[in-house]
Amino acid sequence: MPNWAEANTYEAGDWTLASLLEAKGETRVSLVVPARNEAATVGLIVGRVREALIDTARLVDEIVVIDSDSTDATAEVASTAGARVHASASIRPDLGSVPGKGEAMWKSLFVTTGDLIVFMDADLEEWDTHFVPGLLGPLLTRPEVELVKGFYRRPGSHGLDGGRVTELVARPLVAMLFPELAGLVQPLAGEWAVRRSLFSSLSVPTGYAVELAALVDTLRLRGLDAIAQVDLGRRSHRHQELLDLGLMATQIVAAAGRRSGLVAEPGPGAAVSLQQFVPSEGAITSTTKQVLVGERPPARDVPAEVGETEVHA
Ligand SMILES: O=c1ccn([C@@H]2O[C@H](COP(=O)(O)OP(=O)(O)O)[C@@H](O)[C@H]2O)c(=O)[nH]1
Ligand SMILES: O=C(O)[C@@H](COP(=O)(O)O)O[C@H]1O[C@H](CO)[C@@H](O)[C@H](O)[C@H]1O
């Protein structure tokens, strides 16, 4: 009996574009790019995917950039490159708006039409358009697969350039609390794909815990065999400062703690006070940040706005 990794690990080249176009049939595919201040990179990502996978071969039906409170030209650059751009805060304003990547991805459900949704980060520096067909391969060929994670080599000075929160936080949490997921090479990868019917049924952390939470909840709702992973080759991205990743880690620990009964369910606007210490001019300065750890309910359970259609599962 093959183990999960043997049965559910693929390479992006396992499918030809022609075979995926045939398998796609009437299935609609949305590419969603959550972006906060990514004007430097979002245009190339949108433009190259549009050219390869909409204009040349229609594997993707729409490219939607969710502008997540950007203060730079992200929206203009993405729109010029051919994306449909929505400001996260302007989607279903009746539901309010909070900062965060997960919030942007949750709100994308209200402005996209894909039966399959592919998520890609907007800060990618080394990547390629084959990421998208690679992620779609298992979803278009295996009905029982509902969520596909990308994994990759991270080029860098010590051969593992980045992945700090993955190696120092996510992998230990998986080992201790969700060991069934230990075979996932990149559990936090921002490049992943999911059936709308699944993602719209999940509670979504509004910050950076969206990826880990989706894996844990899919494991529990659908079983490990509903998850697959695809080797996408090499990927590099813009790196945040270490202390900023402390906020990301806090959100991930909070979501994992909630899903293992170690911390209480968050109320709306729930936050963790994170005190950090920064050396400055010989002294050490303490800063405290309120890290939002709230979650959005399953989008399919959100009543439609008057006159609007509901999020279809
Ligand atoms: O509030 C946020 C924070 C991040 N992002 C986007 O989510 C992706 C991953 O975020 P980031 O690059 O900050 O995380 P990292 O890749 O460093 O883990 C990028 O496209 C960001 O622009 C977002 O849309 N809203
Ligand atoms: O992989 C990781 O450890 C973190 C931080 O990456 P780096 O240490 O800056 O390469 O980045 C990932 O995790 C985030 C939270 O899930 C995702 O939003 C990012 O897309 C993913 O790159």
Side-chain angles (χ1 to χ4, degrees):
M1 176 71 176
N3 67 26
W4 174 83
E6 289 164 358
N8 283 29
T9 299
Y10 298 88
E11 294 188 8
D14 284 349
W15 304 273
T16 64
L17 192 52
S19 67
L20 292 178
L21 287 167
E22 186 177 347
K24 177 177 187 280
E26 295 304 306
T27 303
R28 285 189 59 80
V29 174
S30 301
L31 171 67
V32 172
V33 180
R36 181 183 63 182
N37 294 333
E38 305 292 7
T41 44
V42 71
L44 203 55
I45 292 166
V46 169
R48 287 181 58 197
V49 172
R50 177 185 47 72
E51 190 180 317
L53 299 172
I54 293 187
D55 299 349
T56 306
R58 197 169 184 87
L59 187 63
V60 171
D61 295 291
E62 59 182 1
I63 300 177
V64 177
V65 169
I66 305 294
D67 181 4
S68 181
D69 311 317
S70 296
T71 55
D72 69 0
T74 291
E76 296 79 6
V77 169
S79 176
T80 301
R84 194 167 80 243
V85 182
H86 292 269
S88 183
S90 70
I91 301 170
R92 289 296 300 270
D94 58 307
L95 302 173
S97 179
V98 298
K101 178 186 187 182
E103 169 83 353
M105 293 162 70
W106 183 79
K107 288 260 184 120
S108 78
L109 285 165
F110 297 92
V111 292
T112 53
T113 59
D115 304 298
L116 306 181
I117 302 174
V118 181
F119 291 113
M120 278 180 73
D121 284 357
D123 66 336
L124 299 182
E125 291 165 346
E126 182 167 353
W127 67 285
D128 210 326
T129 55
H130 70 258
F131 281 23
V132 177
L135 290 167
L136 288 169
L139 292 174
L140 288 172
T141 57
R142 288 183 58 190
E144 72 275 23
V145 172
E146 301 204 44
L147 188 155
V148 179
K149 290 295 290 191
F151 67 91
Y152 29 75
R153 288 136 205 84
R154 297 172 181 255
S157 43
H158 8 279
L160 180 67
D161 180 37
R164 289 163 290 174
V165 178
T166 298
E167 303 307 334
L168 297 175
V169 178
R171 246 191 261 289
L173 283 172
V174 163
M176 289 185 285
L177 304 176
F178 318 109
E180 305 94 321
L181 297 173
L184 278 137
V185 178
Q186 291 291 348
L188 301 187
E191 289 65 47
W192 56 292
V194 64
R195 295 189 193 280
R196 169 187 291 272
S197 52
L198 171 61
F199 192 51
S200 61
S201 70
L202 302 182
S203 171
V204 176
T206 58
Y208 285 110
V210 52
E211 275 90 15
L212 186 65
L215 282 176
V216 173
D217 295 347
T218 300
L219 171 67
R220 290 176 171 173
L221 283 170
R222 300 285 204 276
L224 187 58
D225 283 340
I227 299 171
Q229 61 181 354
V230 180
D231 185 346
L232 301 176
R234 291 163 57 96
R235 180 246 202 197
S236 69
H237 66 127
R238 173 188 43 72
H239 297 294
Q240 296 186 57
E241 295 300 321
L242 180 64
L243 290 190
D244 291 334
L245 293 184
L247 282 67
M248 176 186 293
T250 302
Q251 292 176 327
I252 289 169
V253 170
R258 189 169 306 128
R259 285 164 174 76
S260 47
L262 299 177
V263 297
E265 284 298 317
V272 168
S273 289
L274 179 67
Q275 189 171 5
Q276 297 177 314
F277 297 88
V278 183
S280 64
E281 294 160 13
I284 290 183
T285 307
S286 161
T287 65
T288 298
K289 295 190 177 99
Q290 296 306 310
V291 182
L292 294 177
V293 294
E295 303 203 9
R296 286 289 195 172
R300 72 177 183 189
D301 298 341
V302 174
E305 209 171 13
V306 174
E308 295 289 323
T309 54
E310 301 208 338
V311 170
H312 72 80

